[in-house]
mmCIF file of all heavy atoms in Angstrom:
data_model
loop_
_atom_site.group_PDB
_atom_site.id
_atom_site.type_symbol
_atom_site.label_atom_id
_atom_site.label_comp_id
_atom_site.label_asym_id
_atom_site.label_seq_id
_atom_site.Cartn_x
_atom_site.Cartn_y
_atom_site.Cartn_z
ATOM 1 N N ALA A 1 145.853 90.810 68.932
ATOM 2 C CA ALA A 1 146.189 89.709 69.832
ATOM 3 C C ALA A 1 145.133 89.728 70.974
ATOM 4 O O ALA A 1 145.013 90.765 71.575
ATOM 5 C CB ALA A 1 147.559 89.709 70.317
ATOM 6 N N LEU A 2 144.607 88.505 71.328
ATOM 7 C CA LEU A 2 143.718 88.384 72.410
ATOM 8 C C LEU A 2 144.318 87.358 73.467
ATOM 9 O O LEU A 2 144.865 86.343 72.990
ATOM 10 C CB LEU A 2 142.393 87.945 71.916
ATOM 11 C CG LEU A 2 141.650 88.708 70.882
ATOM 12 C CD1 LEU A 2 140.418 88.011 70.374
ATOM 13 C CD2 LEU A 2 141.354 90.168 71.339
ATOM 14 N N VAL A 3 144.019 87.616 74.586
ATOM 15 C CA VAL A 3 144.509 86.674 75.751
ATOM 16 C C VAL A 3 143.188 86.353 76.523
ATOM 17 O O VAL A 3 142.531 87.238 77.038
ATOM 18 C CB VAL A 3 145.566 87.227 76.626
ATOM 19 C CG1 VAL A 3 145.941 86.287 77.695
ATOM 20 C CG2 VAL A 3 146.809 87.652 75.845
ATOM 21 N N ILE A 4 142.881 85.055 76.503
ATOM 22 C CA ILE A 4 141.656 84.604 76.992
ATOM 23 C C ILE A 4 141.732 83.497 78.043
ATOM 24 O O ILE A 4 142.477 82.514 77.820
ATOM 25 C CB ILE A 4 140.797 83.956 75.669
ATOM 26 C CG1 ILE A 4 140.607 85.150 74.665
ATOM 27 C CG2 ILE A 4 139.479 83.431 76.168
ATOM 28 C CD1 ILE A 4 140.473 84.553 73.299
ATOM 29 N N SER A 5 141.145 83.712 79.149
ATOM 30 C CA SER A 5 141.127 82.671 80.216
ATOM 31 C C SER A 5 140.156 83.172 81.292
ATOM 32 O O SER A 5 139.828 84.376 81.447
ATOM 33 C CB SER A 5 142.499 82.640 80.889
ATOM 34 O OG SER A 5 142.596 81.940 82.061
ATOM 35 N N PRO A 6 139.556 82.267 82.080
ATOM 36 C CA PRO A 6 138.708 82.754 83.145
ATOM 37 C C PRO A 6 139.510 83.348 84.265
ATOM 38 O O PRO A 6 138.897 83.992 85.212
ATOM 39 C CB PRO A 6 138.135 81.386 83.708
ATOM 40 C CG PRO A 6 139.141 80.337 83.286
ATOM 41 C CD PRO A 6 139.640 80.784 81.999
ATOM 42 N N TRP A 7 140.887 83.389 84.159
ATOM 43 C CA TRP A 7 141.677 84.075 85.152
ATOM 44 C C TRP A 7 142.111 85.494 84.745
ATOM 45 O O TRP A 7 142.934 86.098 85.464
ATOM 46 C CB TRP A 7 142.956 83.250 85.442
ATOM 47 C CG TRP A 7 142.602 81.890 86.023
ATOM 48 C CD1 TRP A 7 142.365 80.687 85.379
ATOM 49 C CD2 TRP A 7 142.308 81.574 87.503
ATOM 50 N NE1 TRP A 7 141.992 79.743 86.225
ATOM 51 C CE2 TRP A 7 141.963 80.216 87.525
ATOM 52 C CE3 TRP A 7 142.389 82.414 88.614
ATOM 53 C CZ2 TRP A 7 141.709 79.616 88.768
ATOM 54 C CZ3 TRP A 7 142.088 81.799 89.767
ATOM 55 C CH2 TRP A 7 141.782 80.410 89.839
ATOM 56 N N VAL A 8 141.590 86.039 83.723
ATOM 57 C CA VAL A 8 141.960 87.351 83.298
ATOM 58 C C VAL A 8 140.773 88.362 83.438
ATOM 59 O O VAL A 8 139.571 87.831 83.513
ATOM 60 C CB VAL A 8 142.441 87.470 81.795
ATOM 61 C CG1 VAL A 8 143.683 86.561 81.611
ATOM 62 C CG2 VAL A 8 141.347 87.175 80.803
ATOM 63 N N GLU A 9 141.019 89.635 83.543
ATOM 64 C CA GLU A 9 139.873 90.579 83.770
ATOM 65 C C GLU A 9 139.092 90.640 82.503
ATOM 66 O O GLU A 9 139.581 90.491 81.359
ATOM 67 C CB GLU A 9 140.602 91.896 84.052
ATOM 68 C CG GLU A 9 141.355 92.040 85.316
ATOM 69 C CD GLU A 9 142.135 93.351 85.308
ATOM 70 O OE1 GLU A 9 141.554 94.404 85.283
ATOM 71 O OE2 GLU A 9 143.395 93.267 85.432
ATOM 72 N N ARG A 10 137.889 91.157 82.754
ATOM 73 C CA ARG A 10 136.905 91.362 81.691
ATOM 74 C C ARG A 10 137.168 92.682 81.020
ATOM 75 O O ARG A 10 137.298 93.693 81.682
ATOM 76 C CB ARG A 10 135.475 91.271 82.183
ATOM 77 C CG ARG A 10 134.438 91.388 81.017
ATOM 78 C CD ARG A 10 133.028 91.247 81.615
ATOM 79 N NE ARG A 10 132.101 91.308 80.556
ATOM 80 C CZ ARG A 10 131.439 92.464 80.114
ATOM 81 N NH1 ARG A 10 131.788 93.610 80.668
ATOM 82 N NH2 ARG A 10 130.573 92.386 79.140
ATOM 83 N N GLY A 11 137.314 92.717 79.628
ATOM 84 C CA GLY A 11 137.366 94.003 78.942
ATOM 85 C C GLY A 11 138.591 94.796 79.189
ATOM 86 O O GLY A 11 138.591 96.032 79.077
ATOM 87 N N ARG A 12 139.786 94.131 79.432
ATOM 88 C CA ARG A 12 141.005 94.872 79.531
ATOM 89 C C ARG A 12 141.612 95.123 78.224
ATOM 90 O O ARG A 12 141.759 94.338 77.416
ATOM 91 C CB ARG A 12 141.969 93.989 80.438
ATOM 92 C CG ARG A 12 143.336 94.558 80.676
ATOM 93 C CD ARG A 12 144.014 93.767 81.687
ATOM 94 N NE ARG A 12 145.436 94.291 81.784
ATOM 95 C CZ ARG A 12 146.272 93.770 82.690
ATOM 96 N NH1 ARG A 12 145.767 93.011 83.791
ATOM 97 N NH2 ARG A 12 147.538 94.211 82.831
ATOM 98 N N VAL A 13 142.132 96.423 78.049
ATOM 99 C CA VAL A 13 142.996 96.829 76.961
ATOM 100 C C VAL A 13 144.443 97.008 77.587
ATOM 101 O O VAL A 13 144.553 97.734 78.474
ATOM 102 C CB VAL A 13 142.459 98.041 76.298
ATOM 103 C CG1 VAL A 13 143.531 98.498 75.229
ATOM 104 C CG2 VAL A 13 141.129 97.801 75.542
ATOM 105 N N ASP A 14 145.360 96.266 76.925
ATOM 106 C CA ASP A 14 146.770 96.378 77.503
ATOM 107 C C ASP A 14 147.699 96.905 76.433
ATOM 108 O O ASP A 14 147.624 96.507 75.307
ATOM 109 C CB ASP A 14 147.143 95.046 77.918
ATOM 110 C CG ASP A 14 148.526 95.112 78.782
ATOM 111 O OD1 ASP A 14 148.393 95.230 80.057
ATOM 112 O OD2 ASP A 14 149.550 95.015 78.122
ATOM 113 N N HIS A 15 148.599 97.817 76.901
ATOM 114 C CA HIS A 15 149.510 98.440 76.062
ATOM 115 C C HIS A 15 150.906 97.949 76.109
ATOM 116 O O HIS A 15 151.891 98.540 75.588
ATOM 117 C CB HIS A 15 149.559 100.025 76.280
ATOM 118 C CG HIS A 15 148.243 100.632 76.360
ATOM 119 N ND1 HIS A 15 147.283 100.522 75.301
ATOM 120 C CD2 HIS A 15 147.690 101.530 77.179
ATOM 121 C CE1 HIS A 15 146.215 101.185 75.600
ATOM 122 N NE2 HIS A 15 146.416 101.768 76.779
ATOM 123 N N THR A 16 151.184 96.796 76.836
ATOM 124 C CA THR A 16 152.464 96.223 76.921
ATOM 125 C C THR A 16 152.998 95.817 75.460
ATOM 126 O O THR A 16 152.207 95.310 74.751
ATOM 127 C CB THR A 16 152.492 95.035 77.853
ATOM 128 O OG1 THR A 16 151.883 95.486 79.116
ATOM 129 C CG2 THR A 16 153.884 94.500 78.059
ATOM 130 N N ILE A 17 154.281 96.058 75.215
ATOM 131 C CA ILE A 17 154.913 95.573 73.964
ATOM 132 C C ILE A 17 155.136 94.067 73.994
ATOM 133 O O ILE A 17 155.756 93.538 74.866
ATOM 134 C CB ILE A 17 156.116 96.318 73.681
ATOM 135 C CG1 ILE A 17 155.813 97.770 73.413
ATOM 136 C CG2 ILE A 17 156.873 95.691 72.532
ATOM 137 C CD1 ILE A 17 157.132 98.595 73.213
ATOM 138 N N PHE A 18 154.502 93.316 73.122
ATOM 139 C CA PHE A 18 154.726 91.938 72.888
ATOM 140 C C PHE A 18 155.072 91.700 71.442
ATOM 141 O O PHE A 18 154.854 92.555 70.545
ATOM 142 C CB PHE A 18 153.396 91.193 73.133
ATOM 143 C CG PHE A 18 152.915 91.264 74.525
ATOM 144 C CD1 PHE A 18 151.813 92.117 74.875
ATOM 145 C CD2 PHE A 18 153.352 90.422 75.574
ATOM 146 C CE1 PHE A 18 151.260 92.203 76.133
ATOM 147 C CE2 PHE A 18 152.918 90.502 76.826
ATOM 148 C CZ PHE A 18 151.879 91.394 77.109
ATOM 149 N N ASP A 19 155.676 90.580 71.092
ATOM 150 C CA ASP A 19 155.765 90.055 69.746
ATOM 151 C C ASP A 19 155.637 88.550 69.858
ATOM 152 O O ASP A 19 155.338 87.979 70.940
ATOM 153 C CB ASP A 19 157.132 90.410 69.106
ATOM 154 C CG ASP A 19 158.283 89.537 69.489
ATOM 155 O OD1 ASP A 19 158.519 89.418 70.748
ATOM 156 O OD2 ASP A 19 158.862 88.985 68.621
ATOM 157 N N HIS A 20 155.770 87.847 68.730
ATOM 158 C CA HIS A 20 155.530 86.404 68.822
ATOM 159 C C HIS A 20 156.528 85.626 69.657
ATOM 160 O O HIS A 20 156.205 84.530 70.125
ATOM 161 C CB HIS A 20 155.515 85.850 67.329
ATOM 162 C CG HIS A 20 154.499 86.429 66.456
ATOM 163 N ND1 HIS A 20 153.253 86.848 66.875
ATOM 164 C CD2 HIS A 20 154.516 86.712 65.121
ATOM 165 C CE1 HIS A 20 152.540 87.285 65.860
ATOM 166 N NE2 HIS A 20 153.219 87.215 64.775
ATOM 167 N N GLY A 21 157.669 86.241 69.969
ATOM 168 C CA GLY A 21 158.554 85.745 70.977
ATOM 169 C C GLY A 21 157.979 85.612 72.288
ATOM 170 O O GLY A 21 158.481 84.912 73.186
ATOM 171 N N SER A 22 156.865 86.325 72.476
ATOM 172 C CA SER A 22 156.209 86.348 73.798
ATOM 173 C C SER A 22 155.415 85.029 74.090
ATOM 174 O O SER A 22 155.194 84.626 75.149
ATOM 175 C CB SER A 22 155.184 87.462 73.922
ATOM 176 O OG SER A 22 155.858 88.672 73.940
ATOM 177 N N ILE A 23 155.253 84.202 73.054
ATOM 178 C CA ILE A 23 154.547 82.920 73.024
ATOM 179 C C ILE A 23 155.501 81.977 73.673
ATOM 180 O O ILE A 23 155.236 81.374 74.691
ATOM 181 C CB ILE A 23 153.944 82.486 71.779
ATOM 182 C CG1 ILE A 23 152.732 83.491 71.483
ATOM 183 C CG2 ILE A 23 153.414 81.059 71.894
ATOM 184 C CD1 ILE A 23 152.152 83.256 70.048
ATOM 185 N N PRO A 24 156.610 81.686 73.074
ATOM 186 C CA PRO A 24 157.567 80.815 73.789
ATOM 187 C C PRO A 24 158.059 81.298 75.246
ATOM 188 O O PRO A 24 158.156 80.667 76.118
ATOM 189 C CB PRO A 24 158.814 80.690 72.881
ATOM 190 C CG PRO A 24 158.647 81.740 71.912
ATOM 191 C CD PRO A 24 157.197 82.054 71.741
ATOM 192 N N ALA A 25 158.189 82.712 75.348
ATOM 193 C CA ALA A 25 158.450 83.210 76.630
ATOM 194 C C ALA A 25 157.503 82.849 77.769
ATOM 195 O O ALA A 25 157.774 82.582 78.839
ATOM 196 C CB ALA A 25 158.636 84.729 76.522
ATOM 197 N N THR A 26 156.181 82.933 77.387
ATOM 198 C CA THR A 26 155.106 82.554 78.260
ATOM 199 C C THR A 26 155.192 81.169 78.576
ATOM 200 O O THR A 26 155.045 80.758 79.853
ATOM 201 C CB THR A 26 153.791 82.980 77.600
ATOM 202 O OG1 THR A 26 153.697 84.286 77.467
ATOM 203 C CG2 THR A 26 152.588 82.462 78.512
ATOM 204 N N LEU A 27 155.395 80.253 77.689
ATOM 205 C CA LEU A 27 155.478 78.921 77.940
ATOM 206 C C LEU A 27 156.731 78.517 78.795
ATOM 207 O O LEU A 27 156.620 77.711 79.708
ATOM 208 C CB LEU A 27 155.568 78.058 76.632
ATOM 209 C CG LEU A 27 154.260 78.212 75.789
ATOM 210 C CD1 LEU A 27 154.623 77.657 74.348
ATOM 211 C CD2 LEU A 27 153.185 77.338 76.397
ATOM 212 N N GLU A 28 157.901 79.148 78.533
ATOM 213 C CA GLU A 28 159.086 78.892 79.307
ATOM 214 C C GLU A 28 158.887 79.301 80.751
ATOM 215 O O GLU A 28 159.281 78.486 81.636
ATOM 216 C CB GLU A 28 160.265 79.637 78.641
ATOM 217 C CG GLU A 28 160.666 79.168 77.264
ATOM 218 C CD GLU A 28 161.253 80.100 76.318
ATOM 219 O OE1 GLU A 28 161.495 81.290 76.758
ATOM 220 O OE2 GLU A 28 161.440 79.823 75.088
ATOM 221 N N ARG A 29 158.297 80.399 80.929
ATOM 222 C CA ARG A 29 158.218 80.874 82.296
ATOM 223 C C ARG A 29 157.128 80.189 83.184
ATOM 224 O O ARG A 29 157.333 79.838 84.292
ATOM 225 C CB ARG A 29 157.976 82.437 82.407
ATOM 226 C CG ARG A 29 159.186 83.203 81.865
ATOM 227 C CD ARG A 29 159.023 84.555 81.514
ATOM 228 N NE ARG A 29 160.128 85.093 80.606
ATOM 229 C CZ ARG A 29 160.095 86.157 79.892
ATOM 230 N NH1 ARG A 29 159.000 86.983 79.979
ATOM 231 N NH2 ARG A 29 161.097 86.507 79.120
ATOM 232 N N LEU A 30 156.132 79.818 82.442
ATOM 233 C CA LEU A 30 155.095 79.051 83.084
ATOM 234 C C LEU A 30 155.496 77.626 83.466
ATOM 235 O O LEU A 30 155.174 77.081 84.540
ATOM 236 C CB LEU A 30 153.808 78.902 82.162
ATOM 237 C CG LEU A 30 152.579 78.199 82.640
ATOM 238 C CD1 LEU A 30 152.084 78.957 83.924
ATOM 239 C CD2 LEU A 30 151.484 78.085 81.616
ATOM 240 N N PHE A 31 156.296 77.088 82.572
ATOM 241 C CA PHE A 31 156.591 75.591 82.812
ATOM 242 C C PHE A 31 158.080 75.397 83.136
ATOM 243 O O PHE A 31 158.605 74.263 83.192
ATOM 244 C CB PHE A 31 156.355 74.778 81.474
ATOM 245 C CG PHE A 31 154.902 74.842 81.048
ATOM 246 C CD1 PHE A 31 154.486 75.186 79.850
ATOM 247 C CD2 PHE A 31 153.931 74.412 82.073
ATOM 248 C CE1 PHE A 31 153.092 75.205 79.527
ATOM 249 C CE2 PHE A 31 152.527 74.504 81.776
ATOM 250 C CZ PHE A 31 152.097 74.894 80.449
ATOM 251 N N GLY A 32 158.827 76.500 83.492
ATOM 252 C CA GLY A 32 160.187 76.354 84.069
ATOM 253 C C GLY A 32 161.270 75.933 83.061
ATOM 254 O O GLY A 32 162.153 75.199 83.284
ATOM 255 N N LEU A 33 161.117 76.493 81.808
ATOM 256 C CA LEU A 33 162.074 76.125 80.752
ATOM 257 C C LEU A 33 162.987 77.299 80.542
ATOM 258 O O LEU A 33 162.641 78.508 80.789
ATOM 259 C CB LEU A 33 161.345 75.887 79.392
ATOM 260 C CG LEU A 33 160.173 74.797 79.543
ATOM 261 C CD1 LEU A 33 159.430 74.768 78.167
ATOM 262 C CD2 LEU A 33 160.828 73.443 79.918
ATOM 263 N N GLN A 34 164.138 77.049 79.906
ATOM 264 C CA GLN A 34 165.171 78.168 79.688
ATOM 265 C C GLN A 34 164.806 78.820 78.266
ATOM 266 O O GLN A 34 164.198 78.163 77.339
ATOM 267 C CB GLN A 34 166.544 77.489 79.526
ATOM 268 C CG GLN A 34 167.069 76.967 80.825
ATOM 269 C CD GLN A 34 167.210 78.098 81.914
ATOM 270 O OE1 GLN A 34 167.772 79.174 81.689
ATOM 271 N NE2 GLN A 34 166.530 77.761 82.994
ATOM 272 N N PRO A 35 165.196 80.117 78.110
ATOM 273 C CA PRO A 35 164.963 80.714 76.909
ATOM 274 C C PRO A 35 165.673 80.112 75.762
ATOM 275 O O PRO A 35 166.739 79.512 75.918
ATOM 276 C CB PRO A 35 165.449 82.188 77.127
ATOM 277 C CG PRO A 35 165.509 82.355 78.577
ATOM 278 C CD PRO A 35 165.725 80.961 79.169
ATOM 279 N N LEU A 36 165.116 80.164 74.542
ATOM 280 C CA LEU A 36 165.697 79.668 73.333
ATOM 281 C C LEU A 36 166.586 80.608 72.720
ATOM 282 O O LEU A 36 167.634 80.197 72.160
ATOM 283 C CB LEU A 36 164.651 79.272 72.367
ATOM 284 C CG LEU A 36 163.585 78.207 72.758
ATOM 285 C CD1 LEU A 36 162.471 78.069 71.820
ATOM 286 C CD2 LEU A 36 164.304 76.818 72.931
ATOM 287 N N THR A 37 166.345 81.857 72.751
ATOM 288 C CA THR A 37 167.196 82.949 72.192
ATOM 289 C C THR A 37 167.084 84.185 73.000
ATOM 290 O O THR A 37 166.331 84.258 74.016
ATOM 291 C CB THR A 37 166.740 83.330 70.735
ATOM 292 O OG1 THR A 37 165.430 84.043 70.734
ATOM 293 C CG2 THR A 37 166.408 82.092 69.911
ATOM 294 N N ASP A 38 167.731 85.280 72.588
ATOM 295 C CA ASP A 38 167.697 86.512 73.224
ATOM 296 C C ASP A 38 166.345 87.231 73.004
ATOM 297 O O ASP A 38 165.967 88.081 73.916
ATOM 298 C CB ASP A 38 168.827 87.481 72.755
ATOM 299 C CG ASP A 38 170.234 87.122 73.418
ATOM 300 O OD1 ASP A 38 170.288 86.168 74.205
ATOM 301 O OD2 ASP A 38 171.230 87.747 73.055
ATOM 302 N N ARG A 39 165.637 86.830 71.969
ATOM 303 C CA ARG A 39 164.389 87.516 71.727
ATOM 304 C C ARG A 39 163.339 86.994 72.847
ATOM 305 O O ARG A 39 162.654 87.900 73.411
ATOM 306 C CB ARG A 39 163.804 87.177 70.325
ATOM 307 C CG ARG A 39 162.399 87.642 70.066
ATOM 308 C CD ARG A 39 162.389 89.197 70.000
ATOM 309 N NE ARG A 39 163.048 89.762 68.929
ATOM 310 C CZ ARG A 39 162.566 90.022 67.644
ATOM 311 N NH1 ARG A 39 161.337 89.583 67.466
ATOM 312 N NH2 ARG A 39 163.348 90.584 66.768
ATOM 313 N N ASP A 40 163.177 85.766 73.050
ATOM 314 C CA ASP A 40 162.200 85.380 74.116
ATOM 315 C C ASP A 40 162.720 85.620 75.467
ATOM 316 O O ASP A 40 161.922 85.881 76.397
ATOM 317 C CB ASP A 40 161.726 83.870 73.937
ATOM 318 C CG ASP A 40 162.973 82.867 73.826
ATOM 319 O OD1 ASP A 40 164.063 83.209 73.196
ATOM 320 O OD2 ASP A 40 162.920 81.769 74.341
ATOM 321 N N LYS A 41 164.050 85.673 75.666
ATOM 322 C CA LYS A 41 164.545 86.054 76.939
ATOM 323 C C LYS A 41 164.135 87.508 77.292
ATOM 324 O O LYS A 41 163.865 87.766 78.508
ATOM 325 C CB LYS A 41 166.108 85.955 76.996
ATOM 326 C CG LYS A 41 166.789 86.240 78.229
ATOM 327 C CD LYS A 41 168.249 86.175 78.136
ATOM 328 C CE LYS A 41 169.018 86.418 79.406
ATOM 329 N NZ LYS A 41 170.447 86.275 79.379
ATOM 330 N N ALA A 42 164.129 88.365 76.413
ATOM 331 C CA ALA A 42 163.827 89.762 76.525
ATOM 332 C C ALA A 42 162.251 90.112 76.477
ATOM 333 O O ALA A 42 161.756 91.104 76.938
ATOM 334 C CB ALA A 42 164.511 90.676 75.525
ATOM 335 N N ALA A 43 161.455 89.125 75.895
ATOM 336 C CA ALA A 43 160.066 89.410 75.670
ATOM 337 C C ALA A 43 159.285 89.392 76.893
ATOM 338 O O ALA A 43 159.510 88.612 77.921
ATOM 339 C CB ALA A 43 159.534 88.336 74.720
ATOM 340 N N HIS A 44 158.169 90.280 77.007
ATOM 341 C CA HIS A 44 157.230 90.100 77.885
ATOM 342 C C HIS A 44 156.423 88.854 77.751
ATOM 343 O O HIS A 44 156.143 88.453 76.671
ATOM 344 C CB HIS A 44 156.309 91.375 77.900
ATOM 345 C CG HIS A 44 156.853 92.606 78.389
ATOM 346 N ND1 HIS A 44 157.206 93.622 77.551
ATOM 347 C CD2 HIS A 44 157.240 93.041 79.655
ATOM 348 C CE1 HIS A 44 157.764 94.671 78.234
ATOM 349 N NE2 HIS A 44 157.787 94.301 79.508
ATOM 350 N N ASP A 45 155.993 88.220 78.877
ATOM 351 C CA ASP A 45 155.025 87.163 78.728
ATOM 352 C C ASP A 45 153.580 87.666 79.126
ATOM 353 O O ASP A 45 153.484 88.927 79.595
ATOM 354 C CB ASP A 45 155.407 86.033 79.721
ATOM 355 C CG ASP A 45 155.542 86.395 81.117
ATOM 356 O OD1 ASP A 45 154.456 86.786 81.757
ATOM 357 O OD2 ASP A 45 156.687 86.379 81.751
ATOM 358 N N VAL A 46 152.597 86.934 79.017
ATOM 359 C CA VAL A 46 151.238 87.320 79.239
ATOM 360 C C VAL A 46 150.712 86.861 80.699
ATOM 361 O O VAL A 46 149.544 87.018 81.027
ATOM 362 C CB VAL A 46 150.231 86.847 78.220
ATOM 363 C CG1 VAL A 46 150.657 87.355 76.845
ATOM 364 C CG2 VAL A 46 150.077 85.364 78.216
ATOM 365 N N LEU A 47 151.657 86.374 81.457
ATOM 366 C CA LEU A 47 151.259 85.798 82.736
ATOM 367 C C LEU A 47 150.814 86.911 83.754
ATOM 368 O O LEU A 47 150.065 86.588 84.669
ATOM 369 C CB LEU A 47 152.327 84.901 83.365
ATOM 370 C CG LEU A 47 152.812 83.710 82.428
ATOM 371 C CD1 LEU A 47 153.914 83.021 83.082
ATOM 372 C CD2 LEU A 47 151.634 82.782 82.168
ATOM 373 N N SER A 48 151.314 88.133 83.496
ATOM 374 C CA SER A 48 150.883 89.131 84.423
ATOM 375 C C SER A 48 149.421 89.544 84.285
ATOM 376 O O SER A 48 148.864 90.168 85.114
ATOM 377 C CB SER A 48 151.801 90.489 84.092
ATOM 378 O OG SER A 48 151.542 90.962 82.831
#
């Protein structure tokens, strides 16, 4: 998995646990939406 933006550090390797539930979690927290399930509620997002 790669996270790409002009707002992220160059050449960072990150060890945080993510899964595909992190995609809706990222969208929900960025855009102010409620979690769909307990999986995305618990998931890390990539906004950090």
Side-chain angles (χ1 to χ4, degrees):
L2 306 175
V3 179
I4 298 155
S5 173
W7 296 93
V8 303
E9 298 170 55
R10 182 177 185 270
R12 173 171 173 170
V13 173
D14 191 90
H15 307 312
T16 305
I17 293 175
F18 298 100
D19 83 302
H20 299 328
S22 296
I23 292 172
T26 296
L27 294 165
E28 290 153 5
R29 292 164 200 168
L30 181 61
F31 299 128
L33 307 173
Q34 292 301 306
L36 299 169
T37 75
D38 284 354
R39 177 63 68 89
D40 51 324
K41 182 178 181 180
H44 288 107
D45 59 63
V46 303
L47 302 177
S48 64

